[in-house]
Amino acid sequence: MKRTIACLTFVLALSSCAEMQQVIDQLPQSTGILSQAEIGNGLKEALTNGIHKQVNKLTVTDGFFKNEMVKILLPEEVQKVDAKLRQLGMSKLADEGLKIINRAAEEAVKEATPIFIDAVKQMTFSDAKTILMGNEHAATSYLQNTTSTALYAKFNPVIKKSFTKVGADKVWNQIFSKYNSLPLVKKVNPDLTNYTTNKAMEGVFKMIALEEKDIRTNIQSRTSETLKKVFALQDKK
């Protein structure tokens, strides 16, 4: 009798392990509805749609400047410069300095979409499964991990060129010259190209995270049958 119970326990344990493995490694397939390819394609579709939708918003005039979620503000060491200029009646110059930083970001983000799409194309089923069953920012985190280096390499020279194109270099040289000529102030000359590059990247990921959260929580945002089926799996996790 004891031997029989032991055998049953062993069989049940194996069955339990097999079921757990299925949940971990085969969960999307266990529905009997979607294949691995369909799940992978569904995630890629969702990411591609979100990238086009949200990144394009940032590339238009005022895409950064009039979007409070991503508007690039002045770095801390430059805020005192801005405040001092306004005290001296140079608000117009200060406003222009802030605007052209955001204009440069809007220009640079046009380079983002191809980099994101390439990262999506390289996504494996394992990546897709981790994203699908992950937290509400899992897809955004995947893109950050796989594209940040390439984005910086693309954004930085574009922003530097854009600064020249829109006259940012001249405006900020004028701003810093005026400020640094004031008595008893600590002179400043920050690297605004590097700062703007990092803020532009931060803005892009914020918007993608917003889109990801929407498609995970809002059924109406799932605009195809594949998306509905794929994210229904996530809803049940």
Side-chain angles (χ1 to χ4, degrees):
M1 182 67 178
K2 289 182 179 179
R3 184 177 180 182
T4 302
I5 293 173
C7 289
L8 285 172
T9 302
F10 180 67
V11 170
L12 287 172
L14 287 177
S15 175
S16 177
C17 289
E19 288 174 1
M20 184 178 293
Q21 188 64 37
Q22 185 178 37
V23 169
I24 295 172
D25 293 330
Q26 307 273 342
L27 175 62
Q29 289 185 312
S30 67
T31 63
I33 299 173
L34 297 174
S35 66
Q36 290 186 1
E38 286 174 316
I39 290 163
N41 289 336
L43 261 294
K44 290 178 182 181
E45 179 185 340
L47 276 172
T48 301
N49 289 349
I51 288 164
H52 283 295
K53 179 180 175 182
Q54 296 297 344
V55 174
N56 286 346
K57 288 180 181 178
L58 298 176
T59 62
V60 300
T61 301
D62 291 328
F64 271 84
F65 190 62
K66 291 189 177 179
N67 182 341
E68 292 303 319
M69 275 192 67
V70 297
K71 182 178 181 179
I72 300 176
L73 303 178
L74 297 175
E76 187 176 346
E77 67 269 32
V78 181
Q79 289 175 13
K80 59 185 178 183
V81 179
D82 179 84
K84 192 66 175 179
L85 290 178
R86 294 182 190 280
Q87 287 176 9
L88 297 173
M90 300 180 193
S91 295
K92 185 175 180 180
L93 182 60
D95 288 339
E96 184 63 18
L98 182 60
K99 183 182 290 186
I100 56 183
I101 285 179
N102 285 272
R103 288 286 180 269
E106 290 156 11
E107 186 74 21
V109 170
K110 294 175 183 176
E111 302 288 332
T113 298
I115 294 172
F116 283 140
I117 297 303
D118 185 60
V120 171
K121 287 179 180 177
Q122 300 302 317
M123 185 189 296
T124 65
F125 170 69
S126 178
D127 294 328
K129 181 183 63 178
T130 300
I131 290 169
L132 181 64
M133 307 311 289
N135 62 36
E136 64 182 19
H137 299 312
T140 305
S141 296
Y142 168 81
L143 289 176
Q144 282 181 300
N145 291 334
T146 56
T147 66
S148 288
T149 300
L151 283 179
Y152 188 93
K154 278 285 188 181
F155 279 22
N156 194 261
V158 172
I159 285 174
K160 188 173 183 178
K161 184 178 179 180
S162 181
F163 274 0
T164 302
K165 178 181 174 182
V166 300
D169 51 346
K170 294 178 181 178
V171 171
W172 278 105
N173 282 339
Q174 184 182 0
I175 288 173
F176 292 140
S177 294
K178 286 185 179 296
Y179 179 80
N180 290 335
S181 67
L182 297 173
L184 304 177
V185 300
K186 184 179 179 180
K187 290 179 172 48
V188 295
N189 189 26
D191 184 352
L192 288 179
T193 301
N194 180 62
Y195 173 79
T196 305
T197 300
N198 286 316
K199 285 297 181 180
M201 290 171 58
E202 185 180 303
V204 169
F205 289 123
K206 273 187 182 179
M207 296 303 290
I208 290 177
L210 184 69
E211 182 68 14
E212 178 180 4
K213 184 177 180 180
D214 184 52
I215 199 167
R216 284 185 184 276
T217 58
N218 183 5
I219 295 176
Q220 301 305 316
S221 296
R222 302 168 190 175
T223 54
S224 73
E225 286 304 312
T226 301
L227 290 181
K228 290 174 184 176
K229 290 177 181 177
V230 168
F231 282 92
L233 297 176
Q234 172 227 249
D235 295 340
K236 297 173 184 177
K237 71 178 182 179

